[in-house]
């Protein structure tokens, strides 16, 4: 796991002095209309905010006769979305809303879901929502776009059974928008995770990353029997994945390796990495041992079969600080045998990434890793089709003379990146370090601003932000990262802590113009919109 252990002020000051400072680019804001402006600029309250809204006179009223209409050509692809909408409307209105397949015109109070939108600008996740006094139409190019249109309608109906008439054109800026949950250090129940999926979908978040292995626990059932006392069964995981598919949330697994493997190595101590004096590191696997590499490969295969997601995450963070590699001479010998006489020990880790990438690619998946090991001057270059999740601007442990590559360097080298910067995307039970400020994050941060863990207060001071171009196509987006080290909390505590952060993340990754410029003004909108957790 990217580290959340409390770090000293002295460490931060020293790292800050070493790295200097860069300015974060503040968000642009074009707020709602003032009293003298045209009504067409005043957007209804939604999270994220609608990208475009053109108001019309009047309003739509949901009533007892309201139906959800599907055209025959769309019935198979949109049937699930229609049934979910019907259930949600029943929960809101307390009366049944039928799903009807018909080619006939809509009646008063009907909601029409359609595919076949020809507006290329809305992309694969966008939609056009048309509301008039008689009916509502949601039209999209894909099932995901139609689904997100229904989430907007639900947010509007959550506020009032009367929806203002108008036309919305809405689409996201970033393709990956979501949440990572550290289920290894703290077990989360199926019910808790299912509620997070429903809440994420309500906000148009689409990506759930499960960090389910670490030193403290292995939280998904395995045929090897390495799972911890508390874990999710494979049956529960399949149910969670099916729920995610219904709600357009991709569920992605992570087995963190070759460090953070304490829970696995408790069952396989013969594979613990031993130094030149024979002292074992109980949380690091010795990947130079052929049987150890086979064990990792077998575990990957087991979970590739369980998770249909197009991605697999292998972690790779916080294995060894560079000076410590000298204490494990077998690592350098292995690197030289595999990658030539010019290789050094860390090249063995990079080679392990490429070997895993080849295996994952052969199974139709894309590999993802944390960014720790991407530093200038390595002999082995990680394949550029690996997605790099950038969380840190300092090498582990802190400080170190070697720093991982800034995100722009990775982009220039041909990688796609995800902004997982410790500040401000991390959430955890206790500090220090100080938890990122909600007002600062809402009012200042953008998905193009990357920042690691070295800061002095909750506004991110002390170390630079690394800014990439707002239009950078290979910046995939960002997630809220719910880690569970450095303290303890309950499921309810964790849900309450990430609740506002998910709403900020939804706005930031959709990247429409925010409705309001300040956190104080955004909080009432959060309360008005409510939750989709159920």
């Amino acid at each position: 796991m990217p580290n959340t252990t409390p770090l000293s002020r002295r460490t931060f000051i020293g790292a800050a002095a070493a790295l200097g400072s860069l300015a974060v680019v503040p968000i642009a804001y074009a707020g709602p209309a003032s009293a003298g402006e045209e009504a067409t600029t005043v957007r209804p309250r939604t999270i994220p905010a609608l990208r475009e809204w053109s108001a019309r006179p009047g309003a739509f009223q949901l009533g007892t006769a309201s139906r959800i209409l599907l055209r025959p050509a769309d019935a198979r692809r949109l049937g699930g979305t229609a049934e979910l909408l019907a259930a949600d409307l029943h929960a809101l209105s307390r009366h049944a809303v039928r799903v009807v397949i018909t080619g006939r015109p809509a009646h008063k109070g009907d909601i029409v879901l359609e595919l076949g939108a020809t507006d290329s600008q809305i992309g694969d996740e966008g939609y056009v929502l048309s509301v008039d006094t008689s009916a509502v139409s949601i039209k999209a190019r894909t099932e995901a776009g139609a689904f997100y249109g229904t989430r907007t309608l639900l947010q509007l109906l959550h506020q009032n059974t009367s929806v203002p008439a108008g036309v919305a054109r809405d689409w996201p800026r970033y393709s990956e928008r979501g949440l990572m949950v550290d289920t290894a250090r703290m077990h989360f129940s199926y019910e808790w995770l299912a509620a997070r999926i429903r809440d994420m979908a309500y906000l148009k978040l689409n990506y759930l990353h499960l960090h389910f292995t670490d030193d403290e626990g292995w939280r998904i059932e395995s045929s090897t029997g390495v799972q911890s006392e508390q874990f999710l069964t494979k049956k529960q995981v399949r149910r969670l994945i099916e729920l995610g598919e219904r709600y357009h949330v991709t569920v992605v697994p992570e087995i963190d390796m070759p460090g953070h493997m304490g829970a696995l190595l408790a069952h396989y101590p013969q594979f613990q990495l031993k130094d030149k004096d024979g002292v074992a590191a109980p949380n690091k696997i010795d990947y130079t041992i052929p049987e150890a590499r086979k064990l990792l490969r077998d575990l990957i295969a087991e979970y590739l079969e369980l998770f249909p997601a197009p991605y697999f995450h292998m972690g790779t963070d916080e294995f060894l600080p560079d000076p410590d590699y000298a204490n494990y001479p077998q690592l350098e010998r292995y690197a030289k045998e595999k990658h030539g006489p010019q290789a050094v020990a860390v090249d063995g880790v990079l080679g392990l990434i490429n070997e895993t990438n080849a295996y994952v690619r052969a199974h139709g998946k894309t590999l993802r890793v944390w960014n720790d090991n991407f530093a200038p001057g390595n002999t082995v270059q990680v394949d550029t089709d690996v997605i790099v999740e950038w969380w840190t601007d300092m090498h582990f442990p802190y400080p170190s003379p070697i720093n991982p590559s800034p995100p722009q360097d990775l982009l220039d080298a041909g990688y796609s990146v995800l902004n997982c910067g410790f500040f401000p995307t991390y959430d955890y039970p206790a500090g220090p370090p100080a938890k990122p400020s909600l007002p600062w994050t809402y009012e200042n941060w953008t998905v193009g601003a990357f920042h690691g863990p070295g800061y002095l207060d909750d506004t991110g001071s002390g170390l630079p932000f690394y800014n990439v171009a707002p239009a950078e196509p290979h910046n995939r987006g960002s997630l809220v990262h719910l880690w569970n080290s450095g303290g303890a909390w309950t499921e309810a505590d964790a849900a309450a802590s990430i609740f506002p952060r998910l709403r900020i993340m939804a706005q930031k990754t959709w990247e429409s113009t925010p409705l309001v410029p300040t956190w104080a003004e955004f909080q009432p909108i959060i309360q008005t919109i409510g939750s989709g957790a159920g």
Side-chain angles (χ1 to χ4, degrees):
M1 162 210 162
N3 185 57
T4 58
T5 302
L7 306 178
S8 70
R9 178 178 292 271
R10 180 180 177 184
T11 297
F12 283 146
I13 292 173
L19 288 175
S21 62
L22 294 173
V24 60
V25 178
I27 62 170
Y29 170 72
S34 64
E37 291 182 284
E38 293 295 325
T40 54
T41 65
V42 181
R43 291 166 293 165
R45 287 185 166 194
T46 61
I47 300 175
L50 297 174
R51 190 169 295 278
E52 295 180 3
W53 173 257
S54 179
R56 292 175 176 173
F60 167 83
Q61 184 71 41
L62 184 71
T64 57
S66 293
R67 305 173 300 168
I68 299 170
L69 302 191
L70 296 179
R71 301 315 183 194
D74 301 329
R76 181 182 61 82
R77 295 174 63 189
L78 293 183
T81 294
E83 293 295 341
L84 277 179
L85 178 59
D88 291 329
L89 292 176
H90 179 260
L92 279 176
S93 65
R94 302 303 178 191
H95 61 258
V97 180
R98 291 188 301 137
V99 177
V100 178
I101 301 172
T102 179
R104 294 182 177 180
H107 296 164
K108 188 173 181 61
D110 284 346
I111 300 165
V112 183
L113 305 184
E114 292 185 87
L115 296 174
T118 58
D119 186 344
S120 60
Q121 189 174 19
I122 65 174
D124 289 341
E125 293 184 288
Y127 60 93
V128 178
L129 170 68
S130 300
V131 182
D132 60 36
T133 57
S134 177
V136 171
S137 168
I138 297 171
K139 195 164 188 175
R141 294 160 58 89
T142 67
E143 298 98 313
F147 176 79
Y148 292 137
T150 68
R151 300 305 95 179
T152 293
L153 180 61
L154 280 174
Q155 289 190 12
L156 296 173
L157 289 169
H158 180 81
Q159 301 168 61
N160 198 314
T161 57
S162 177
V163 177
V167 177
R169 293 176 69 248
D170 199 22
W171 64 92
R173 160 65 179 88
Y174 293 98
S175 62
E176 293 179 356
R177 313 174 300 275
L179 171 66
M180 188 227 73
V181 180
D182 170 17
T183 66
R185 292 176 176 83
M186 173 180 167
H187 173 67
F188 287 93
S189 65
Y190 166 83
E191 292 76 16
W192 190 93
L193 291 167
R196 302 290 76 72
I197 284 177
R198 290 190 291 269
D199 194 42
M200 290 169 61
Y202 190 60
L203 304 167
K204 305 183 182 72
L205 298 171
N206 65 356
Y207 191 97
L208 177 60
H209 169 178
L210 297 181
H211 177 92
F212 73 92
T213 74
D214 215 298
D215 300 337
E216 295 82 354
W218 189 289
R219 301 296 181 181
I220 296 178
E221 178 184 4
S222 171
S223 61
T224 64
V226 300
Q227 65 269 9
S228 302
E229 183 178 353
Q230 291 181 302
F231 64 94
L232 295 175
T233 67
K234 289 184 177 180
K235 182 177 180 180
Q236 288 175 316
V237 171
R238 292 187 186 99
R239 286 173 58 204
L240 196 70
I241 290 167
E242 290 169 2
L243 185 71
E245 290 173 346
R246 292 176 63 202
Y247 281 90
H248 295 271
V249 173
T250 300
V251 183
V252 177
E254 178 193 350
I255 299 178
D256 203 352
M257 62 178 77
H260 291 283
M261 303 219 76
L264 175 69
L265 293 172
H267 297 266
Y268 293 91
Q270 68 271 30
F271 297 146
Q272 290 175 345
L273 181 67
K274 294 182 176 64
D275 69 12
K276 57 190 176 184
D277 297 320
V279 177
N283 69 341
K284 305 179 196 303
I285 195 167
D286 189 344
Y287 55 81
T288 70
I289 302 172
E291 293 80 6
R293 293 198 305 278
K294 181 180 184 303
L295 173 63
L296 294 178
R297 182 67 55 86
D298 290 345
L299 288 165
I300 292 170
E302 181 176 7
Y303 291 104
L304 286 178
E305 182 179 351
L306 179 61
F307 286 86
Y311 307 108
F312 181 85
H313 203 303
M314 68 172 289
T316 73
D317 61 298
E318 299 178 336
F319 180 56
L320 283 171
D322 292 282
D324 285 8
Y325 276 103
N327 293 325
Y328 303 92
Q330 71 270 37
L331 299 181
E332 182 157 345
R333 287 196 302 270
Y334 177 81
K336 292 182 182 300
E337 290 169 5
K338 295 282 287 187
H339 307 294
Q342 74 283 7
V344 295
V346 72
D347 289 310
V349 177
L350 302 176
L352 181 66
I353 294 175
N354 285 342
E355 289 172 18
T356 306
N357 182 44
Y359 183 77
V360 166
R361 286 274 167 186
H363 288 77
K365 312 279 189 176
T366 295
L367 189 68
R368 310 176 77 107
V369 297
W370 302 112
N371 74 300
D372 303 47
N373 297 291
F374 289 74
N378 294 324
T379 296
V380 174
Q381 298 301 306
V382 173
D383 300 331
T384 55
D385 55 9
V386 173
I387 296 171
V388 183
E389 301 199 358
W390 195 100
W391 77 276
T392 184
D393 46 11
M394 296 188 296
H395 200 71
F396 173 80
Y398 313 107
S400 169
I402 298 176
N403 298 310
S405 298
Q408 188 60 58
D409 290 1
L410 296 170
L411 291 163
D412 291 345
Y415 296 99
S416 291
V417 301
L418 185 74
N419 188 341
C420 301
F422 185 110
F423 185 92
T425 75
Y426 277 28
D427 194 11
Y428 38 87
K435 294 176 73 163
S437 159
L438 292 171
W440 190 95
T441 304
Y442 180 79
E443 295 169 12
N444 295 277
W445 181 67
T446 70
V447 180
F450 293 69
H451 193 315
Y455 58 91
L456 302 180
D457 58 32
D458 68 351
T459 65
S461 66
L463 279 178
F465 280 86
Y466 299 91
N467 297 299
V468 304
E472 170 55 60
H474 297 294
N475 182 2
R476 301 176 70 89
S478 189
L479 316 176
V480 172
H481 293 79
L482 175 61
W483 294 106
N484 293 297
S485 58
W489 54 7
T490 65
E491 286 190 342
D493 294 334
S497 188
I498 63 173
F499 185 87
R501 297 182 188 278
L502 287 175
R503 279 135 184 87
I504 296 174
M505 186 60 70
Q507 178 60 53
K508 295 294 181 175
T509 52
W510 199 263
E511 207 179 72
S512 53
T513 303
L515 287 171
V516 293
T518 69
W519 171 245
E521 294 170 285
F522 189 57
Q523 289 181 79
I525 297 176
I526 290 176
Q527 296 304 315
T528 297
I529 299 305
S531 172

